[in-house]
PDB file of all heavy atoms in Angstrom:
ATOM      1  N   GLU A 139      -6.350   8.283 -18.254  1.00 87.00           N
ATOM      2  CA  GLU A 139      -5.870   6.946 -17.944  1.00 87.00           C
ATOM      3  C   GLU A 139      -5.018   6.978 -16.686  1.00 87.00           C
ATOM      4  O   GLU A 139      -4.549   8.026 -16.260  1.00 87.00           O
ATOM      5  CB  GLU A 139      -5.051   6.391 -19.121  1.00 87.00           C
ATOM      6  CG  GLU A 139      -5.829   6.267 -20.416  1.00 87.00           C
ATOM      7  CD  GLU A 139      -4.971   5.730 -21.544  1.00 87.00           C
ATOM      8  OE1 GLU A 139      -3.730   5.694 -21.368  1.00 87.00           O
ATOM      9  OE2 GLU A 139      -5.524   5.342 -22.589  1.00 87.00           O
ATOM     10  N   GLY A 140      -4.812   5.810 -16.111  1.00 90.00           N
ATOM     11  CA  GLY A 140      -3.988   5.749 -14.919  1.00 90.00           C
ATOM     12  C   GLY A 140      -3.775   4.322 -14.475  1.00 90.00           C
ATOM     13  O   GLY A 140      -4.221   3.365 -15.103  1.00 90.00           O
ATOM     14  N   LYS A 141      -3.083   4.177 -13.347  1.00 92.00           N
ATOM     15  CA  LYS A 141      -2.812   2.862 -12.772  1.00 92.00           C
ATOM     16  C   LYS A 141      -2.968   2.959 -11.254  1.00 92.00           C
ATOM     17  O   LYS A 141      -2.843   4.046 -10.662  1.00 92.00           O
ATOM     18  CB  LYS A 141      -1.410   2.389 -13.143  1.00 92.00           C
ATOM     19  CG  LYS A 141      -0.311   3.383 -12.793  1.00 92.00           C
ATOM     20  CD  LYS A 141       1.034   2.944 -13.333  1.00 92.00           C
ATOM     21  CE  LYS A 141       2.110   3.989 -13.022  1.00 92.00           C
ATOM     22  NZ  LYS A 141       3.447   3.586 -13.525  1.00 92.00           N
ATOM     23  N   LEU A 142      -3.238   1.843 -10.629  1.00 92.00           N
ATOM     24  CA  LEU A 142      -3.469   1.842  -9.186  1.00 92.00           C
ATOM     25  C   LEU A 142      -3.136   0.481  -8.605  1.00 92.00           C
ATOM     26  O   LEU A 142      -3.019  -0.518  -9.322  1.00 92.00           O
ATOM     27  CB  LEU A 142      -4.914   2.216  -8.862  1.00 92.00           C
ATOM     28  CG  LEU A 142      -6.020   1.259  -9.343  1.00 92.00           C
ATOM     29  CD1 LEU A 142      -6.346   0.208  -8.291  1.00 92.00           C
ATOM     30  CD2 LEU A 142      -7.284   2.030  -9.686  1.00 92.00           C
ATOM     31  N   PHE A 143      -2.987   0.446  -7.287  1.00 93.00           N
ATOM     32  CA  PHE A 143      -2.871  -0.800  -6.534  1.00 93.00           C
ATOM     33  C   PHE A 143      -3.425  -0.537  -5.140  1.00 93.00           C
ATOM     34  O   PHE A 143      -3.663   0.609  -4.734  1.00 93.00           O
ATOM     35  CB  PHE A 143      -1.416  -1.273  -6.453  1.00 93.00           C
ATOM     36  CG  PHE A 143      -0.601  -0.588  -5.376  1.00 93.00           C
ATOM     37  CD1 PHE A 143      -0.224  -1.267  -4.230  1.00 93.00           C
ATOM     38  CD2 PHE A 143      -0.224   0.749  -5.500  1.00 93.00           C
ATOM     39  CE1 PHE A 143       0.525  -0.646  -3.238  1.00 93.00           C
ATOM     40  CE2 PHE A 143       0.525   1.379  -4.513  1.00 93.00           C
ATOM     41  CZ  PHE A 143       0.893   0.672  -3.377  1.00 93.00           C
ATOM     42  N   ASN A 144      -3.685  -1.598  -4.394  1.00 91.00           N
ATOM     43  CA  ASN A 144      -4.138  -1.413  -3.023  1.00 91.00           C
ATOM     44  C   ASN A 144      -3.521  -2.463  -2.124  1.00 91.00           C
ATOM     45  O   ASN A 144      -3.108  -3.541  -2.569  1.00 91.00           O
ATOM     46  CB  ASN A 144      -5.672  -1.424  -2.925  1.00 91.00           C
ATOM     47  CG  ASN A 144      -6.269  -2.710  -3.435  1.00 91.00           C
ATOM     48  OD1 ASN A 144      -6.188  -3.752  -2.799  1.00 91.00           O
ATOM     49  ND2 ASN A 144      -6.897  -2.651  -4.609  1.00 91.00           N
ATOM     50  N   VAL A 145      -3.441  -2.117  -0.847  1.00 92.00           N
ATOM     51  CA  VAL A 145      -2.952  -3.035   0.187  1.00 92.00           C
ATOM     52  C   VAL A 145      -3.977  -3.075   1.317  1.00 92.00           C
ATOM     53  O   VAL A 145      -4.705  -2.100   1.552  1.00 92.00           O
ATOM     54  CB  VAL A 145      -1.582  -2.594   0.749  1.00 92.00           C
ATOM     55  CG1 VAL A 145      -0.496  -2.739  -0.293  1.00 92.00           C
ATOM     56  CG2 VAL A 145      -1.639  -1.151   1.266  1.00 92.00           C
ATOM     57  N   ASN A 146      -4.047  -4.215   1.989  1.00 91.00           N
ATOM     58  CA  ASN A 146      -4.844  -4.342   3.207  1.00 91.00           C
ATOM     59  C   ASN A 146      -3.904  -4.290   4.401  1.00 91.00           C
ATOM     60  O   ASN A 146      -2.859  -4.965   4.410  1.00 91.00           O
ATOM     61  CB  ASN A 146      -5.630  -5.653   3.234  1.00 91.00           C
ATOM     62  CG  ASN A 146      -6.787  -5.644   2.250  1.00 91.00           C
ATOM     63  OD1 ASN A 146      -7.086  -4.619   1.642  1.00 91.00           O
ATOM     64  ND2 ASN A 146      -7.425  -6.776   2.083  1.00 91.00           N
ATOM     65  N   LEU A 147      -4.276  -3.506   5.405  1.00 93.00           N
ATOM     66  CA  LEU A 147      -3.442  -3.304   6.583  1.00 93.00           C
ATOM     67  C   LEU A 147      -4.178  -3.789   7.824  1.00 93.00           C
ATOM     68  O   LEU A 147      -5.401  -3.668   7.910  1.00 93.00           O
ATOM     69  CB  LEU A 147      -3.092  -1.818   6.743  1.00 93.00           C
ATOM     70  CG  LEU A 147      -2.508  -1.107   5.510  1.00 93.00           C
ATOM     71  CD1 LEU A 147      -2.332   0.377   5.791  1.00 93.00           C
ATOM     72  CD2 LEU A 147      -1.182  -1.736   5.100  1.00 93.00           C
ATOM     73  N   ILE A 148      -3.438  -4.299   8.799  1.00 90.00           N
ATOM     74  CA  ILE A 148      -4.050  -4.791  10.034  1.00 90.00           C
ATOM     75  C   ILE A 148      -3.202  -4.382  11.234  1.00 90.00           C
ATOM     76  O   ILE A 148      -1.971  -4.360  11.162  1.00 90.00           O
ATOM     77  CB  ILE A 148      -4.206  -6.334   9.995  1.00 90.00           C
ATOM     78  CG1 ILE A 148      -5.047  -6.835  11.165  1.00 90.00           C
ATOM     79  CG2 ILE A 148      -2.860  -7.031   9.969  1.00 90.00           C
ATOM     80  CD1 ILE A 148      -5.401  -8.316  11.075  1.00 90.00           C
ATOM     81  N   ASP A 149      -3.868  -3.976  12.318  1.00 89.00           N
ATOM     82  CA  ASP A 149      -3.212  -3.815  13.614  1.00 89.00           C
ATOM     83  C   ASP A 149      -4.076  -4.515  14.656  1.00 89.00           C
ATOM     84  O   ASP A 149      -5.009  -5.247  14.313  1.00 89.00           O
ATOM     85  CB  ASP A 149      -2.939  -2.344  13.942  1.00 89.00           C
ATOM     86  CG  ASP A 149      -4.210  -1.537  14.214  1.00 89.00           C
ATOM     87  OD1 ASP A 149      -5.316  -2.135  14.233  1.00 89.00           O
ATOM     88  OD2 ASP A 149      -4.109  -0.317  14.401  1.00 89.00           O
ATOM     89  N   GLU A 150      -3.785  -4.298  15.929  1.00 85.00           N
ATOM     90  CA  GLU A 150      -4.501  -5.033  16.974  1.00 85.00           C
ATOM     91  C   GLU A 150      -5.965  -4.628  17.085  1.00 85.00           C
ATOM     92  O   GLU A 150      -6.770  -5.333  17.694  1.00 85.00           O
ATOM     93  CB  GLU A 150      -3.826  -4.836  18.338  1.00 85.00           C
ATOM     94  CG  GLU A 150      -3.820  -3.402  18.856  1.00 85.00           C
ATOM     95  CD  GLU A 150      -2.690  -2.562  18.287  1.00 85.00           C
ATOM     96  OE1 GLU A 150      -1.892  -3.106  17.491  1.00 85.00           O
ATOM     97  OE2 GLU A 150      -2.596  -1.375  18.642  1.00 85.00           O
ATOM     98  N   SER A 151      -6.354  -3.515  16.443  1.00 86.00           N
ATOM     99  CA  SER A 151      -7.746  -3.058  16.571  1.00 86.00           C
ATOM    100  C   SER A 151      -8.612  -3.416  15.371  1.00 86.00           C
ATOM    101  O   SER A 151      -9.830  -3.495  15.491  1.00 86.00           O
ATOM    102  CB  SER A 151      -7.776  -1.529  16.771  1.00 86.00           C
ATOM    103  OG  SER A 151      -7.413  -0.855  15.578  1.00 86.00           O
ATOM    104  N   GLY A 152      -8.029  -3.643  14.195  1.00 86.00           N
ATOM    105  CA  GLY A 152      -8.849  -3.926  13.028  1.00 86.00           C
ATOM    106  C   GLY A 152      -8.062  -3.828  11.729  1.00 86.00           C
ATOM    107  O   GLY A 152      -6.822  -3.762  11.732  1.00 86.00           O
ATOM    108  N   GLU A 153      -8.794  -3.785  10.593  1.00 89.00           N
ATOM    109  CA  GLU A 153      -8.185  -3.768   9.267  1.00 89.00           C
ATOM    110  C   GLU A 153      -8.684  -2.560   8.480  1.00 89.00           C
ATOM    111  O   GLU A 153      -9.774  -2.046   8.730  1.00 89.00           O
ATOM    112  CB  GLU A 153      -8.534  -5.048   8.500  1.00 89.00           C
ATOM    113  CG  GLU A 153      -8.005  -6.324   9.117  1.00 89.00           C
ATOM    114  CD  GLU A 153      -8.429  -7.559   8.344  1.00 89.00           C
ATOM    115  OE1 GLU A 153      -9.508  -8.103   8.640  1.00 89.00           O
ATOM    116  OE2 GLU A 153      -7.686  -7.986   7.441  1.00 89.00           O
ATOM    117  N   ILE A 154      -7.886  -2.130   7.507  1.00 93.00           N
ATOM    118  CA  ILE A 154      -8.277  -1.025   6.641  1.00 93.00           C
ATOM    119  C   ILE A 154      -7.596  -1.211   5.282  1.00 93.00           C
ATOM    120  O   ILE A 154      -6.524  -1.827   5.189  1.00 93.00           O
ATOM    121  CB  ILE A 154      -7.901   0.342   7.258  1.00 93.00           C
ATOM    122  CG1 ILE A 154      -8.626   1.480   6.531  1.00 93.00           C
ATOM    123  CG2 ILE A 154      -6.395   0.549   7.258  1.00 93.00           C
ATOM    124  CD1 ILE A 154      -8.514   2.821   7.243  1.00 93.00           C
ATOM    125  N   ARG A 155      -8.229  -0.689   4.236  1.00 92.00           N
ATOM    126  CA  ARG A 155      -7.706  -0.770   2.870  1.00 92.00           C
ATOM    127  C   ARG A 155      -7.048   0.550   2.500  1.00 92.00           C
ATOM    128  O   ARG A 155      -7.547   1.626   2.835  1.00 92.00           O
ATOM    129  CB  ARG A 155      -8.855  -1.076   1.915  1.00 92.00           C
ATOM    130  CG  ARG A 155      -8.469  -1.344   0.470  1.00 92.00           C
ATOM    131  CD  ARG A 155      -9.718  -1.824  -0.259  1.00 92.00           C
ATOM    132  NE  ARG A 155      -9.457  -2.261  -1.623  1.00 92.00           N
ATOM    133  CZ  ARG A 155      -9.836  -1.598  -2.700  1.00 92.00           C
ATOM    134  NH1 ARG A 155     -10.472  -0.446  -2.583  1.00 92.00           N
ATOM    135  NH2 ARG A 155      -9.586  -2.072  -3.900  1.00 92.00           N
ATOM    136  N   CYS A 156      -5.922   0.476   1.795  1.00 95.00           N
ATOM    137  CA  CYS A 156      -5.201   1.681   1.380  1.00 95.00           C
ATOM    138  C   CYS A 156      -4.893   1.558  -0.116  1.00 95.00           C
ATOM    139  O   CYS A 156      -4.383   0.525  -0.572  1.00 95.00           O
ATOM    140  CB  CYS A 156      -3.912   1.840   2.179  1.00 95.00           C
ATOM    141  SG  CYS A 156      -2.984   3.341   1.788  1.00 95.00           S
ATOM    142  N   THR A 157      -5.186   2.614  -0.892  1.00 94.00           N
ATOM    143  CA  THR A 157      -5.021   2.594  -2.344  1.00 94.00           C
ATOM    144  C   THR A 157      -4.015   3.651  -2.782  1.00 94.00           C
ATOM    145  O   THR A 157      -4.008   4.776  -2.260  1.00 94.00           O
ATOM    146  CB  THR A 157      -6.371   2.846  -3.043  1.00 94.00           C
ATOM    147  OG1 THR A 157      -7.310   1.862  -2.618  1.00 94.00           O
ATOM    148  CG2 THR A 157      -6.226   2.774  -4.549  1.00 94.00           C
ATOM    149  N   GLY A 158      -3.180   3.296  -3.744  1.00 94.00           N
ATOM    150  CA  GLY A 158      -2.212   4.235  -4.316  1.00 94.00           C
ATOM    151  C   GLY A 158      -2.391   4.353  -5.818  1.00 94.00           C
ATOM    152  O   GLY A 158      -2.565   3.339  -6.512  1.00 94.00           O
ATOM    153  N   PHE A 159      -2.360   5.588  -6.346  1.00 93.00           N
ATOM    154  CA  PHE A 159      -2.524   5.847  -7.774  1.00 93.00           C
ATOM    155  C   PHE A 159      -1.219   6.413  -8.356  1.00 93.00           C
ATOM    156  O   PHE A 159      -0.466   7.115  -7.674  1.00 93.00           O
ATOM    157  CB  PHE A 159      -3.642   6.861  -8.019  1.00 93.00           C
ATOM    158  CG  PHE A 159      -5.016   6.382  -7.637  1.00 93.00           C
ATOM    159  CD1 PHE A 159      -5.495   6.543  -6.340  1.00 93.00           C
ATOM    160  CD2 PHE A 159      -5.832   5.758  -8.567  1.00 93.00           C
ATOM    161  CE1 PHE A 159      -6.761   6.108  -5.991  1.00 93.00           C
ATOM    162  CE2 PHE A 159      -7.098   5.318  -8.224  1.00 93.00           C
ATOM    163  CZ  PHE A 159      -7.565   5.493  -6.929  1.00 93.00           C
ATOM    164  N   ASN A 160      -0.970   6.094  -9.604  1.00 92.00           N
ATOM    165  CA  ASN A 160       0.048   6.749 -10.439  1.00 92.00           C
ATOM    166  C   ASN A 160       1.372   7.012  -9.711  1.00 92.00           C
ATOM    167  O   ASN A 160       2.132   6.095  -9.458  1.00 92.00           O
ATOM    168  CB  ASN A 160      -0.536   8.030 -11.025  1.00 92.00           C
ATOM    169  CG  ASN A 160      -1.774   7.738 -11.865  1.00 92.00           C
ATOM    170  OD1 ASN A 160      -1.851   6.708 -12.536  1.00 92.00           O
ATOM    171  ND2 ASN A 160      -2.754   8.635 -11.827  1.00 92.00           N
ATOM    172  N   GLU A 161       1.659   8.309  -9.342  1.00 92.00           N
ATOM    173  CA  GLU A 161       2.946   8.645  -8.723  1.00 92.00           C
ATOM    174  C   GLU A 161       3.145   7.886  -7.413  1.00 92.00           C
ATOM    175  O   GLU A 161       4.259   7.457  -7.091  1.00 92.00           O
ATOM    176  CB  GLU A 161       3.050  10.156  -8.465  1.00 92.00           C
ATOM    177  CG  GLU A 161       3.139  11.013  -9.713  1.00 92.00           C
ATOM    178  CD  GLU A 161       1.765  11.272 -10.328  1.00 92.00           C
ATOM    179  OE1 GLU A 161       0.758  10.846  -9.721  1.00 92.00           O
ATOM    180  OE2 GLU A 161       1.706  11.874 -11.414  1.00 92.00           O
ATOM    181  N   GLN A 162       2.076   7.738  -6.634  1.00 93.00           N
ATOM    182  CA  GLN A 162       2.211   7.022  -5.368  1.00 93.00           C
ATOM    183  C   GLN A 162       2.490   5.534  -5.608  1.00 93.00           C
ATOM    184  O   GLN A 162       3.205   4.897  -4.838  1.00 93.00           O
ATOM    185  CB  GLN A 162       0.939   7.187  -4.521  1.00 93.00           C
ATOM    186  CG  GLN A 162       0.823   8.540  -3.843  1.00 93.00           C
ATOM    187  CD  GLN A 162       0.592   9.670  -4.839  1.00 93.00           C
ATOM    188  OE1 GLN A 162      -0.292   9.572  -5.697  1.00 93.00           O
ATOM    189  NE2 GLN A 162       1.382  10.729  -4.747  1.00 93.00           N
ATOM    190  N   LEU A 163       1.919   5.001  -6.683  1.00 93.00           N
ATOM    191  CA  LEU A 163       2.228   3.608  -7.042  1.00 93.00           C
ATOM    192  C   LEU A 163       3.716   3.467  -7.364  1.00 93.00           C
ATOM    193  O   LEU A 163       4.382   2.536  -6.889  1.00 93.00           O
ATOM    194  CB  LEU A 163       1.361   3.180  -8.220  1.00 93.00           C
ATOM    195  CG  LEU A 163       1.488   1.725  -8.689  1.00 93.00           C
ATOM    196  CD1 LEU A 163       0.155   1.242  -9.277  1.00 93.00           C
ATOM    197  CD2 LEU A 163       2.585   1.553  -9.744  1.00 93.00           C
ATOM    198  N   ASP A 164       4.243   4.385  -8.159  1.00 92.00           N
ATOM    199  CA  ASP A 164       5.665   4.334  -8.516  1.00 92.00           C
ATOM    200  C   ASP A 164       6.551   4.447  -7.277  1.00 92.00           C
ATOM    201  O   ASP A 164       7.623   3.833  -7.210  1.00 92.00           O
ATOM    202  CB  ASP A 164       6.014   5.464  -9.486  1.00 92.00           C
ATOM    203  CG  ASP A 164       5.296   5.313 -10.827  1.00 92.00           C
ATOM    204  OD1 ASP A 164       4.960   4.164 -11.192  1.00 92.00           O
ATOM    205  OD2 ASP A 164       5.053   6.344 -11.481  1.00 92.00           O
ATOM    206  N   LYS A 165       6.085   5.197  -6.285  1.00 92.00           N
ATOM    207  CA  LYS A 165       6.898   5.470  -5.113  1.00 92.00           C
ATOM    208  C   LYS A 165       6.862   4.344  -4.089  1.00 92.00           C
ATOM    209  O   LYS A 165       7.892   4.006  -3.474  1.00 92.00           O
ATOM    210  CB  LYS A 165       6.418   6.779  -4.469  1.00 92.00           C
ATOM    211  CG  LYS A 165       7.244   7.236  -3.275  1.00 92.00           C
ATOM    212  CD  LYS A 165       6.732   8.580  -2.775  1.00 92.00           C
ATOM    213  CE  LYS A 165       7.549   9.084  -1.591  1.00 92.00           C
ATOM    214  NZ  LYS A 165       7.040  10.390  -1.091  1.00 92.00           N
ATOM    215  N   PHE A 166       5.670   3.717  -3.903  1.00 94.00           N
ATOM    216  CA  PHE A 166       5.520   2.808  -2.770  1.00 94.00           C
ATOM    217  C   PHE A 166       5.282   1.338  -3.144  1.00 94.00           C
ATOM    218  O   PHE A 166       5.382   0.474  -2.274  1.00 94.00           O
ATOM    219  CB  PHE A 166       4.345   3.272  -1.890  1.00 94.00           C
ATOM    220  CG  PHE A 166       4.554   4.602  -1.244  1.00 94.00           C
ATOM    221  CD1 PHE A 166       3.702   5.673  -1.527  1.00 94.00           C
ATOM    222  CD2 PHE A 166       5.597   4.803  -0.350  1.00 94.00           C
ATOM    223  CE1 PHE A 166       3.874   6.902  -0.921  1.00 94.00           C
ATOM    224  CE2 PHE A 166       5.789   6.039   0.257  1.00 94.00           C
ATOM    225  CZ  PHE A 166       4.922   7.093  -0.035  1.00 94.00           C
ATOM    226  N   TYR A 167       4.991   1.037  -4.414  1.00 92.00           N
ATOM    227  CA  TYR A 167       4.588  -0.338  -4.744  1.00 92.00           C
ATOM    228  C   TYR A 167       5.691  -1.348  -4.419  1.00 92.00           C
ATOM    229  O   TYR A 167       5.448  -2.375  -3.776  1.00 92.00           O
ATOM    230  CB  TYR A 167       4.197  -0.447  -6.222  1.00 92.00           C
ATOM    231  CG  TYR A 167       3.640  -1.815  -6.574  1.00 92.00           C
ATOM    232  CD1 TYR A 167       2.307  -2.123  -6.327  1.00 92.00           C
ATOM    233  CD2 TYR A 167       4.451  -2.809  -7.130  1.00 92.00           C
ATOM    234  CE1 TYR A 167       1.780  -3.381  -6.630  1.00 92.00           C
ATOM    235  CE2 TYR A 167       3.937  -4.066  -7.435  1.00 92.00           C
ATOM    236  CZ  TYR A 167       2.606  -4.339  -7.175  1.00 92.00           C
ATOM    237  OH  TYR A 167       2.106  -5.587  -7.467  1.00 92.00           O
ATOM    238  N   ASP A 168       6.907  -1.097  -4.879  1.00 91.00           N
ATOM    239  CA  ASP A 168       8.007  -2.031  -4.632  1.00 91.00           C
ATOM    240  C   ASP A 168       8.417  -2.054  -3.168  1.00 91.00           C
ATOM    241  O   ASP A 168       8.929  -3.062  -2.675  1.00 91.00           O
ATOM    242  CB  ASP A 168       9.214  -1.669  -5.502  1.00 91.00           C
ATOM    243  CG  ASP A 168       8.936  -1.897  -6.985  1.00 91.00           C
ATOM    244  OD1 ASP A 168       8.108  -2.774  -7.297  1.00 91.00           O
ATOM    245  OD2 ASP A 168       9.529  -1.182  -7.818  1.00 91.00           O
ATOM    246  N   MET A 169       8.192  -0.959  -2.469  1.00 92.00           N
ATOM    247  CA  MET A 169       8.597  -0.861  -1.064  1.00 92.00           C
ATOM    248  C   MET A 169       7.730  -1.728  -0.155  1.00 92.00           C
ATOM    249  O   MET A 169       8.223  -2.377   0.766  1.00 92.00           O
ATOM    250  CB  MET A 169       8.512   0.599  -0.615  1.00 92.00           C
ATOM    251  CG  MET A 169       8.697   0.807   0.871  1.00 92.00           C
ATOM    252  SD  MET A 169       8.347   2.533   1.310  1.00 92.00           S
ATOM    253  CE  MET A 169       8.511   2.463   3.097  1.00 92.00           C
ATOM    254  N   LEU A 170       6.410  -1.771  -0.423  1.00 93.00           N
ATOM    255  CA  LEU A 170       5.489  -2.479   0.451  1.00 93.00           C
ATOM    256  C   LEU A 170       5.514  -3.974   0.156  1.00 93.00           C
ATOM    257  O   LEU A 170       5.332  -4.392  -0.993  1.00 93.00           O
ATOM    258  CB  LEU A 170       4.067  -1.930   0.275  1.00 93.00           C
ATOM    259  CG  LEU A 170       3.857  -0.488   0.725  1.00 93.00           C
ATOM    260  CD1 LEU A 170       2.476   0.001   0.317  1.00 93.00           C
ATOM    261  CD2 LEU A 170       4.042  -0.366   2.231  1.00 93.00           C
ATOM    262  N   GLU A 171       5.732  -4.778   1.194  1.00 90.00           N
ATOM    263  CA  GLU A 171       5.793  -6.224   1.059  1.00 90.00           C
ATOM    264  C   GLU A 171       4.803  -6.870   2.024  1.00 90.00           C
ATOM    265  O   GLU A 171       4.620  -6.407   3.155  1.00 90.00           O
ATOM    266  CB  GLU A 171       7.204  -6.743   1.352  1.00 90.00           C
ATOM    267  CG  GLU A 171       8.267  -6.231   0.390  1.00 90.00           C
ATOM    268  CD  GLU A 171       9.634  -6.807   0.700  1.00 90.00           C
ATOM    269  OE1 GLU A 171       9.694  -7.963   1.183  1.00 90.00           O
ATOM    270  OE2 GLU A 171      10.647  -6.104   0.488  1.00 90.00           O
ATOM    271  N   VAL A 172       4.178  -7.952   1.567  1.00 86.00           N
ATOM    272  CA  VAL A 172       3.199  -8.664   2.389  1.00 86.00           C
ATOM    273  C   VAL A 172       3.873  -9.222   3.637  1.00 86.00           C
ATOM    274  O   VAL A 172       4.987  -9.733   3.587  1.00 86.00           O
ATOM    275  CB  VAL A 172       2.533  -9.782   1.581  1.00 86.00           C
ATOM    276  CG1 VAL A 172       1.635 -10.641   2.460  1.00 86.00           C
ATOM    277  CG2 VAL A 172       1.717  -9.202   0.430  1.00 86.00           C
ATOM    278  N   ASN A 173       3.185  -9.088   4.770  1.00 85.00           N
ATOM    279  CA  ASN A 173       3.577  -9.581   6.095  1.00 85.00           C
ATOM    280  C   ASN A 173       4.606  -8.705   6.788  1.00 85.00           C
ATOM    281  O   ASN A 173       5.006  -9.011   7.908  1.00 85.00           O
ATOM    282  CB  ASN A 173       4.081 -11.028   6.034  1.00 85.00           C
ATOM    283  CG  ASN A 173       3.813 -11.771   7.344  1.00 85.00           C
ATOM    284  OD1 ASN A 173       2.790 -11.556   7.985  1.00 85.00           O
ATOM    285  ND2 ASN A 173       4.743 -12.613   7.755  1.00 85.00           N
ATOM    286  N   LYS A 174       5.041  -7.613   6.157  1.00 90.00           N
ATOM    287  CA  LYS A 174       5.942  -6.692   6.834  1.00 90.00           C
ATOM    288  C   LYS A 174       5.143  -5.536   7.442  1.00 90.00           C
ATOM    289  O   LYS A 174       4.026  -5.251   7.040  1.00 90.00           O
ATOM    290  CB  LYS A 174       7.008  -6.179   5.874  1.00 90.00           C
ATOM    291  CG  LYS A 174       8.018  -7.256   5.488  1.00 90.00           C
ATOM    292  CD  LYS A 174       9.236  -6.669   4.789  1.00 90.00           C
ATOM    293  CE  LYS A 174      10.273  -7.756   4.526  1.00 90.00           C
ATOM    294  NZ  LYS A 174      11.483  -7.194   3.879  1.00 90.00           N
ATOM    295  N   VAL A 175       5.757  -4.853   8.420  1.00 92.00           N
ATOM    296  CA  VAL A 175       5.084  -3.810   9.196  1.00 92.00           C
ATOM    297  C   VAL A 175       5.643  -2.440   8.825  1.00 92.00           C
ATOM    298  O   VAL A 175       6.860  -2.282   8.659  1.00 92.00           O
ATOM    299  CB  VAL A 175       5.242  -4.074  10.709  1.00 92.00           C
ATOM    300  CG1 VAL A 175       4.561  -2.973  11.522  1.00 92.00           C
ATOM    301  CG2 VAL A 175       4.651  -5.436  11.076  1.00 92.00           C
ATOM    302  N   TYR A 176       4.736  -1.457   8.725  1.00 94.00           N
ATOM    303  CA  TYR A 176       5.124  -0.105   8.328  1.00 94.00           C
ATOM    304  C   TYR A 176       4.356   0.923   9.157  1.00 94.00           C
ATOM    305  O   TYR A 176       3.277   0.645   9.687  1.00 94.00           O
ATOM    306  CB  TYR A 176       4.824   0.129   6.835  1.00 94.00           C
ATOM    307  CG  TYR A 176       5.510  -0.829   5.900  1.00 94.00           C
ATOM    308  CD1 TYR A 176       4.931  -2.067   5.611  1.00 94.00           C
ATOM    309  CD2 TYR A 176       6.721  -0.506   5.298  1.00 94.00           C
ATOM    310  CE1 TYR A 176       5.550  -2.961   4.752  1.00 94.00           C
ATOM    311  CE2 TYR A 176       7.336  -1.395   4.423  1.00 94.00           C
ATOM    312  CZ  TYR A 176       6.748  -2.627   4.164  1.00 94.00           C
ATOM    313  OH  TYR A 176       7.360  -3.497   3.313  1.00 94.00           O
ATOM    314  N   TYR A 177       4.929   2.138   9.224  1.00 94.00           N
ATOM    315  CA  TYR A 177       4.212   3.299   9.747  1.00 94.00           C
ATOM    316  C   TYR A 177       3.587   4.037   8.562  1.00 94.00           C
ATOM    317  O   TYR A 177       4.252   4.289   7.552  1.00 94.00           O
ATOM    318  CB  TYR A 177       5.163   4.252  10.483  1.00 94.00           C
ATOM    319  CG  TYR A 177       5.679   3.721  11.794  1.00 94.00           C
ATOM    320  CD1 TYR A 177       6.982   3.243  11.904  1.00 94.00           C
ATOM    321  CD2 TYR A 177       4.871   3.702  12.925  1.00 94.00           C
ATOM    322  CE1 TYR A 177       7.475   2.766  13.105  1.00 94.00           C
ATOM    323  CE2 TYR A 177       5.350   3.227  14.137  1.00 94.00           C
ATOM    324  CZ  TYR A 177       6.652   2.757  14.214  1.00 94.00           C
ATOM    325  OH  TYR A 177       7.122   2.282  15.407  1.00 94.00           O
TER     326      TYR A 177
END
C-alpha cells in the first residue's frame, strides 16, 4: 500500500508532471503551493 500526489510545473519552455510517493509526499506536499515558484 502507499500514497501519492502530483504537481504540474511550468517554465518559459514548457510543462512537466512531477509525482511524489510516501516519504516524499510527507516531506514536500505541504511545502508546494499552487502558483508559487521553486527550484
Side-chain angles (χ1 to χ4, degrees):
E139 299 179 347
K141 54 187 178 179
L142 64 91
F143 81 108
N144 59 73
V145 292
N146 288 353
L147 309 175
I148 189 172
D149 69 4
E150 63 277 359
S151 71
E153 297 178 271
I154 195 169
R155 186 172 186 251
C156 182
T157 303
F159 294 87
N160 301 325
E161 292 82 4
Q162 283 69 50
L163 183 150
D164 295 334
K165 184 177 181 181
F166 296 118
Y167 186 82
D168 293 332
M169 171 188 176
L170 294 172
E171 297 182 32
V172 173
N173 209 36
K174 290 193 175 182
V175 179
Y176 302 85
Y177 290 104

